[in-house]
Amino acid sequence: MSKIISHKELKVFQLSFEAAMQIFEISKSFPSEEKYSLTDQIRRSSRSVSGTIAEAWRKRRYEKSFVAKLSDSEGEAAETQVWLDYSFACKYINEEIYNELYAKYDHILAMLVKMIFNPKQWTLSKK
């Protein structure tokens, strides 16, 4: 395994960025009355997942800060799943898109939890 230099090299970052961009594109078709509620919320939480992963990466000198930021990212990913639930229930997205994105966020959550439970593998703590 080669050494990861940037947060952009993390598979969890790449997947969360890709998922947020997919949500951005899909949410363009949401009704205009959702602009200041569902559309803004799902875009904000989905983008926050990758943004907070980047923050965690820069705080990896401090294991507790690293884990706290990853936990924040985990919370944003779970929140995004709730907004996906609403999007599907309101019939703004079809079942195929819902299932694809929900599964993507399940995978992101699994990767984040693995990192949270194994922080020493990722942090710069002194041996």
XYZ file of all heavy atoms in Angstrom, residues 67-119:
434
model
N -10.737 11.475 14.741
C -11.922 10.638 14.958
C -13.175 11.506 15.084
O -14.230 11.164 14.526
C -11.731 9.727 16.187
C -13.037 9.060 16.602
C -10.659 8.666 15.902
N -13.076 12.634 15.768
C -14.240 13.524 15.927
C -14.722 14.028 14.573
O -15.934 14.055 14.301
C -13.895 14.697 16.847
N -13.814 14.422 13.711
C -14.199 14.912 12.381
C -14.783 13.791 11.530
O -15.753 13.995 10.799
C -13.011 15.559 11.663
C -12.725 16.955 12.121
C -13.857 17.851 11.705
C -13.769 19.209 12.318
N -14.985 19.985 12.073
N -14.198 12.598 11.621
C -14.774 11.467 10.890
C -16.173 11.150 11.402
O -17.062 10.805 10.622
C -13.877 10.233 11.012
C -12.551 10.266 10.260
C -11.761 8.982 10.513
C -12.746 10.483 8.765
N -16.379 11.291 12.711
C -17.717 11.073 13.289
C -18.699 12.106 12.773
O -19.869 11.782 12.504
C -17.654 11.121 14.818
O -16.882 10.048 15.311
N -18.251 13.347 12.621
C -19.102 14.392 12.029
C -19.475 14.012 10.596
O -20.627 14.163 10.176
C -18.388 15.749 12.028
C -18.213 16.338 13.415
O -18.875 15.871 14.373
O -17.399 17.277 13.537
N -18.502 13.516 9.858
C -18.743 13.107 8.476
C -19.731 11.943 8.432
O -20.627 11.902 7.578
C -17.414 12.716 7.814
O -17.597 12.481 6.454
N -19.598 11.031 9.360
C -20.530 9.901 9.468
C -21.960 10.410 9.691
O -22.912 9.934 9.061
C -20.094 8.988 10.608
C -20.970 7.786 10.819
C -20.600 6.989 12.069
O -19.700 7.396 12.834
O -21.242 5.949 12.281
N -22.099 11.398 10.566
C -23.410 11.986 10.825
C -24.003 12.645 9.591
O -25.202 12.517 9.315
N -23.164 13.336 8.822
C -23.637 13.981 7.594
C -24.063 12.947 6.549
O -25.046 13.153 5.826
C -22.552 14.901 7.024
C -22.198 16.083 7.908
C -23.302 17.120 8.054
O -24.238 17.139 7.231
O -23.224 17.919 8.997
N -23.346 11.833 6.475
C -23.707 10.775 5.528
C -25.060 10.164 5.905
O -25.909 9.931 5.039
C -22.618 9.697 5.494
N -25.264 9.942 7.199
C -26.551 9.402 7.661
C -27.677 10.405 7.416
O -28.784 10.025 7.008
C -26.465 9.038 9.141
N -27.402 11.689 7.628
C -28.403 12.725 7.355
C -28.766 12.731 5.868
O -29.949 12.855 5.511
C -27.887 14.101 7.774
C -28.898 15.198 7.523
C -28.396 16.598 7.855
O -27.426 16.742 8.628
O -28.990 17.550 7.314
N -27.766 12.580 5.018
C -28.022 12.541 3.583
C -28.959 11.383 3.242
O -29.855 11.531 2.402
C -26.702 12.428 2.798
O -25.882 13.571 3.120
C -26.939 12.382 1.293
N -28.792 10.254 3.908
C -29.689 9.124 3.671
C -31.138 9.474 4.038
O -32.066 9.055 3.350
C -29.232 7.889 4.443
C -27.999 7.246 3.843
C -27.592 5.991 4.567
O -27.550 5.938 5.785
N -27.274 4.955 3.791
N -31.322 10.256 5.089
C -32.680 10.675 5.467
C -33.276 11.564 4.377
O -34.441 11.407 3.997
C -32.685 11.397 6.833
C -34.058 11.993 7.125
C -32.268 10.446 7.943
N -32.474 12.482 3.846
C -32.971 13.350 2.765
C -33.265 12.526 1.511
O -34.190 12.839 0.761
C -31.989 14.484 2.474
C -31.789 15.393 3.644
C -30.584 15.743 4.208
C -32.788 16.060 4.415
N -30.790 16.573 5.279
C -32.135 16.784 5.437
C -34.174 16.107 4.371
C -32.816 17.562 6.375
C -34.862 16.872 5.311
C -34.178 17.580 6.294
N -32.492 11.467 1.289
C -32.803 10.560 0.181
C -34.148 9.873 0.425
O -34.936 9.703 -0.513
C -31.692 9.516 0.005
C -30.391 10.008 -0.612
C -29.294 8.950 -0.476
C -30.595 10.399 -2.074
N -34.399 9.492 1.682
C -35.702 8.900 2.044
C -36.840 9.851 1.676
O -37.839 9.442 1.073
C -35.776 8.590 3.539
C -34.880 7.441 3.973
O -34.501 6.609 3.123
O -34.565 7.382 5.187
N -36.686 11.119 2.056
C -37.712 12.119 1.729
C -37.851 12.306 0.213
O -38.963 12.398 -0.313
C -37.393 13.470 2.374
C -37.812 13.565 3.810
C -36.866 13.552 4.826
C -39.158 13.682 4.164
C -37.245 13.643 6.156
C -39.541 13.770 5.492
C -38.592 13.752 6.485
O -38.971 13.838 7.801
N -36.723 12.368 -0.471
C -36.743 12.556 -1.930
C -37.495 11.433 -2.617
O -38.264 11.663 -3.559
C -35.314 12.623 -2.479
O -34.606 13.694 -1.906
N -37.284 10.224 -2.138
C -37.979 9.069 -2.713
C -39.460 9.076 -2.327
O -40.338 8.882 -3.176
C -37.299 7.771 -2.265
C -37.942 6.533 -2.800
C -38.004 6.286 -4.166
C -38.487 5.601 -1.937
C -38.599 5.141 -4.662
C -39.087 4.441 -2.427
C -39.142 4.215 -3.795
N -39.744 9.343 -1.051
C -41.133 9.357 -0.572
C -41.962 10.431 -1.287
O -43.159 10.236 -1.544
C -41.165 9.575 0.936
N -41.325 11.545 -1.618
C -42.010 12.638 -2.332
C -42.028 12.410 -3.850
O -42.523 13.256 -4.596
C -41.343 13.977 -2.015
S -41.512 14.498 -0.304
N -41.440 11.306 -4.278
C -41.396 10.936 -5.704
C -40.566 11.895 -6.565
O -40.852 12.108 -7.734
C -42.807 10.770 -6.270
C -43.595 9.654 -5.601
C -44.969 9.520 -6.187
C -45.811 8.410 -5.632
N -45.759 8.036 -4.284
N -39.515 12.477 -5.945
C -38.600 13.334 -6.701
C -37.505 12.507 -7.371
O -36.862 12.974 -8.312
C -37.959 14.387 -5.809
C -38.940 15.306 -5.118
C -38.634 15.866 -3.887
C -40.174 15.625 -5.686
C -39.516 16.727 -3.255
C -41.066 16.468 -5.052
C -40.732 17.013 -3.831
O -41.613 17.851 -3.195
N -37.270 11.302 -6.824
C -36.310 10.373 -7.428
C -36.989 9.007 -7.531
O -37.876 8.684 -6.732
C -34.981 10.263 -6.636
C -35.206 9.822 -5.192
C -34.205 11.578 -6.700
C -33.923 9.579 -4.399
N -36.547 8.232 -8.509
C -37.144 6.904 -8.659
C -36.430 5.887 -7.767
O -35.392 6.188 -7.166
C -37.167 6.471 -10.131
C -35.786 6.280 -10.721
O -34.850 5.837 -10.062
N -35.645 6.612 -11.997
N -36.980 4.697 -7.709
C -36.448 3.663 -6.812
C -35.027 3.251 -7.176
O -34.195 3.006 -6.298
C -37.377 2.447 -6.829
C -37.027 1.422 -5.776
C -38.070 0.322 -5.648
O -39.032 0.297 -6.446
O -37.911 -0.517 -4.744
N -34.717 3.193 -8.455
C -33.371 2.801 -8.894
C -32.323 3.801 -8.405
O -31.282 3.419 -7.857
C -33.335 2.700 -10.419
C -31.995 2.269 -10.974
C -31.951 2.248 -12.496
O -33.007 2.386 -13.145
O -30.840 2.107 -13.032
N -32.580 5.080 -8.593
C -31.645 6.125 -8.140
C -31.546 6.116 -6.615
O -30.453 6.201 -6.048
C -32.075 7.508 -8.667
C -31.871 7.561 -10.185
C -31.307 8.632 -7.978
C -32.484 8.769 -10.854
N -32.703 5.999 -5.973
C -32.728 5.937 -4.497
C -31.848 4.792 -4.005
O -30.983 4.991 -3.137
C -34.165 5.768 -4.005
C -34.264 5.475 -2.534
C -34.120 6.484 -1.584
C -34.491 4.176 -2.081
C -34.202 6.207 -0.229
C -34.576 3.890 -0.733
C -34.423 4.906 0.193
O -34.494 4.629 1.541
N -32.054 3.590 -4.537
C -31.294 2.418 -4.083
C -29.805 2.565 -4.359
O -28.972 2.206 -3.525
C -31.833 1.140 -4.735
C -33.185 0.741 -4.186
O -33.560 1.091 -3.069
N -33.950 0.014 -4.985
N -29.475 3.108 -5.516
C -28.065 3.302 -5.869
C -27.380 4.267 -4.902
O -26.310 3.977 -4.371
C -27.952 3.832 -7.300
C -26.520 4.122 -7.720
C -26.411 4.899 -9.022
O -27.397 4.965 -9.778
O -25.321 5.451 -9.269
N -28.008 5.413 -4.680
C -27.399 6.411 -3.789
C -27.398 5.949 -2.335
O -26.425 6.168 -1.613
C -28.115 7.750 -3.927
C -27.725 8.552 -5.157
C -28.691 9.701 -5.401
C -26.296 9.073 -5.021
N -28.472 5.315 -1.903
C -28.533 4.838 -0.521
C -27.422 3.810 -0.271
O -26.732 3.878 0.753
C -29.909 4.234 -0.216
C -30.249 4.295 1.244
C -30.954 5.376 1.764
C -29.841 3.296 2.117
C -31.257 5.454 3.117
C -30.140 3.366 3.469
C -30.845 4.433 3.967
O -31.131 4.521 5.305
N -27.223 2.906 -1.222
C -26.159 1.904 -1.099
C -24.778 2.565 -1.099
O -23.877 2.146 -0.366
C -26.261 0.888 -2.229
N -24.620 3.600 -1.906
C -23.353 4.327 -1.951
C -23.048 4.934 -0.578
O -21.918 4.857 -0.090
C -23.427 5.430 -3.016
C -22.130 5.726 -3.706
C -22.331 6.690 -4.862
C -22.353 5.938 -6.171
N -22.249 6.816 -7.336
N -24.072 5.519 0.046
C -23.866 6.099 1.377
C -23.678 5.031 2.451
O -22.931 5.251 3.411
C -24.973 7.103 1.720
C -24.655 8.448 1.110
C -25.174 8.817 -0.118
C -23.757 9.313 1.724
C -24.829 10.021 -0.713
C -23.399 10.517 1.140
C -23.941 10.868 -0.076
O -23.581 12.059 -0.658
N -24.292 3.857 2.288
C -24.003 2.751 3.207
C -22.532 2.377 3.123
O -21.879 2.118 4.143
C -24.859 1.521 2.868
C -26.223 1.530 3.527
O -26.449 2.309 4.484
O -27.090 0.742 3.074
N -21.995 2.345 1.913
C -20.584 2.016 1.708
C -19.684 3.104 2.312
O -18.678 2.790 2.968
C -20.321 1.840 0.214
C -18.974 1.275 -0.103
N -18.521 0.071 0.378
C -17.969 1.769 -0.867
C -17.295 -0.154 -0.062
N -16.942 0.866 -0.829
N -20.039 4.354 2.108
C -19.287 5.473 2.703
C -19.298 5.349 4.221
O -18.250 5.482 4.870
C -19.885 6.826 2.249
C -19.608 7.051 0.757
C -19.360 7.980 3.099
C -20.450 8.151 0.124
N -20.465 5.091 4.789
C -20.581 4.936 6.247
C -19.703 3.790 6.751
O -19.012 3.931 7.772
C -22.039 4.708 6.644
C -22.907 5.950 6.614
C -24.388 5.583 6.584
C -22.604 6.850 7.806
N -19.694 2.673 6.044
C -18.867 1.533 6.445
C -17.382 1.901 6.437
O -16.639 1.546 7.363
C -19.129 0.336 5.532
N -16.953 2.629 5.416
C -15.548 3.037 5.340
C -15.194 4.000 6.467
O -14.124 3.895 7.074
C -15.247 3.663 3.977
C -15.218 2.661 2.855
S -14.573 3.354 1.297
C -16.001 4.238 0.710
N -16.096 4.941 6.754
C -15.841 5.892 7.835
C -15.751 5.191 9.179
O -14.850 5.466 9.985
C -16.932 6.965 7.868
C -16.897 7.981 6.726
C -18.177 8.816 6.718
C -15.667 8.872 6.824
N -16.667 4.275 9.434
C -16.658 3.539 10.710
C -15.366 2.731 10.841
O -14.757 2.700 11.920
C -17.912 2.638 10.832
C -17.781 1.658 11.984
C -19.153 3.500 11.002
N -14.928 2.121 9.757
C -13.667 1.363 9.788
C -12.494 2.279 10.153
O -11.631 1.903 10.944
C -13.436 0.690 8.439
C -12.256 -0.247 8.433
C -12.139 -0.997 7.124
C -10.926 -1.919 7.172
N -10.748 -2.646 5.921
N -12.483 3.481 9.582
C -11.418 4.433 9.903
C -11.511 4.892 11.360
O -10.495 5.037 12.033
C -11.480 5.641 8.966
C -11.092 5.323 7.536
S -11.330 6.720 6.413
C -9.860 7.683 6.791
N -12.734 5.116 11.837
C -12.943 5.564 13.216
C -12.447 4.512 14.203
O -11.832 4.840 15.219
C -14.437 5.902 13.450
C -14.802 7.201 12.718
C -14.763 5.997 14.935
C -16.293 7.467 12.595
N -12.695 3.242 13.909
C -12.287 2.168 14.812
C -10.827 1.753 14.648
O -10.302 0.995 15.461
C -13.214 0.961 14.681
C -14.538 1.168 15.349
C -15.713 1.126 14.604
C -14.634 1.426 16.705
C -16.940 1.334 15.214
C -15.859 1.634 17.323
C -17.018 1.586 16.584
N -10.155 2.260 13.619
C -8.735 1.967 13.386
C -7.955 3.246 13.097
O -7.270 3.346 12.079
C -8.584 1.001 12.204
C -9.264 -0.315 12.453
O -8.826 -1.085 13.286
N -10.359 -0.558 11.748
N -8.041 4.247 13.982
C -7.429 5.548 13.667
C -5.906 5.518 13.575
O -5.326 6.292 12.827
C -7.897 6.439 14.814
C -8.141 5.499 15.956
C -8.649 4.240 15.308
